[in-house]
Amino acid sequence: MRLFHYHLVTRRIRDVEARYIAKLGFDLVARHGRVGEDAVSFEAGVPWHELDRMGFKLRLSELERGSVNVVVQPGQWELPRVDHLGFVLDDDAFSAALARAERQELRVQEHGGRRTFVSTNAGYRLELHPPREWIEDLLAGSEVLRLAELHLRADDSAVEIGDTVVRFVGDGPQGRPELHAELFL
């Protein structure tokens, strides 16, 4: 399993897009949206002032560097929030993940056979992909860049696994976590 994509939502879309391009060296793949009633996409090279002049209404900006794909979408939050995390899995792991989601009665949405979303109980979704040629090409890109860590702030640093909550607390040792507390019912 490999995390290769994440989708952010913010009202400061141009600032966030500019940060990825100017400070982090990402390339703009395309901006997708509407002009009037028509769905349109513009690749890099079309500046914002020209899009504004056309009446372009942004749906999302797609950015890429190495094996990392980031999408930024307009939303209500000042600081970006995660809509979903995208993973590529081998065929067996993909099938097992969907079976596990169904057993846990999580909402599973398939979008045209291209991607599958699993809703979590933590306020974001997981986008799951079996092996696909375009993802393999992205992951095998000539530029060596991969996502090593992704830090997310939340109101609760916990993950639900079945009917058990696993909570992470700070100041622990490096490597394997140290047992801090248990609660039995």
Side-chain angles (χ1 to χ4, degrees), residues 8 77-83 85 122-124 149-158:
L8 303 173
W77 298 286
E78 179 84 11
L79 295 175
R81 301 252 182 127
V82 172
D83 176 74
L85 304 174
Y124 61 91
E149 291 187 30
L150 181 63
H151 295 217
L152 305 174
R153 292 182 60 198
D155 63 340
D156 189 5
S157 58

Side-chain angles (χ1 to χ4, degrees), residues 4 14 19 30 56 65 69 81 113 121 127 134 142 156 173:
F4 75 97
R14 293 183 189 195
R19 174 184 173 267
F56 177 70
R65 181 172 172 207
N69 176 273
R81 301 252 182 127
N121 295 327
E127 180 180 353
W134 68 269
S142 61
D156 189 5

Side-chain angles (χ1 to χ4, degrees), residues 7-77:
H7 192 115
L8 303 173
V9 181
T10 181
R11 71 173 173 239
R12 296 181 54 218
I13 190 137
R14 293 183 189 195
D15 294 338
V16 172
E17 178 189 275
R19 174 184 173 267
Y20 277 94
I21 293 169
K23 292 189 176 188
L24 301 176
F26 276 67
D27 293 321
L28 175 65
V29 175
R31 293 181 182 119
H32 306 279
R34 294 189 131 359
V35 173
E37 296 298 315
D38 298 325
V40 294
S41 295
F42 294 95
E43 294 182 3
V46 181
W48 275 111
H49 69 272
E50 191 172 322
L51 295 173
D52 291 338
R53 185 183 50 73
M54 288 186 263
F56 177 70
K57 178 80 172 164
L58 181 71
R59 185 175 63 82
L60 59 87
S61 286
E62 183 178 3
L63 305 144
E64 203 168 84
R65 181 172 172 207
S67 65
V68 182
N69 176 273
V70 176
V71 169
V72 186
Q73 171 183 325
Q76 66 183 2
W77 298 286

Side-chain angles (χ1 to χ4, degrees), residues 158-169:
V159 176
E160 289 186 28
I161 303 171
D163 57 358
T164 302
V165 174
V166 177
R167 192 174 316 274
F168 298 93
V169 284

Side-chain angles (χ1 to χ4, degrees), residues 1 8 37 41 43 46 69 77 90 94 97-98 111 117 126 132 141 144 164 174-175:
M1 172 171 40
L8 303 173
E37 296 298 315
S41 295
E43 294 182 3
V46 181
N69 176 273
W77 298 286
D90 65 31
F94 180 77
L98 292 182
H111 289 270
F117 288 97
L126 304 176
R132 299 179 195 272
V144 179
T164 302
Q174 287 187 338

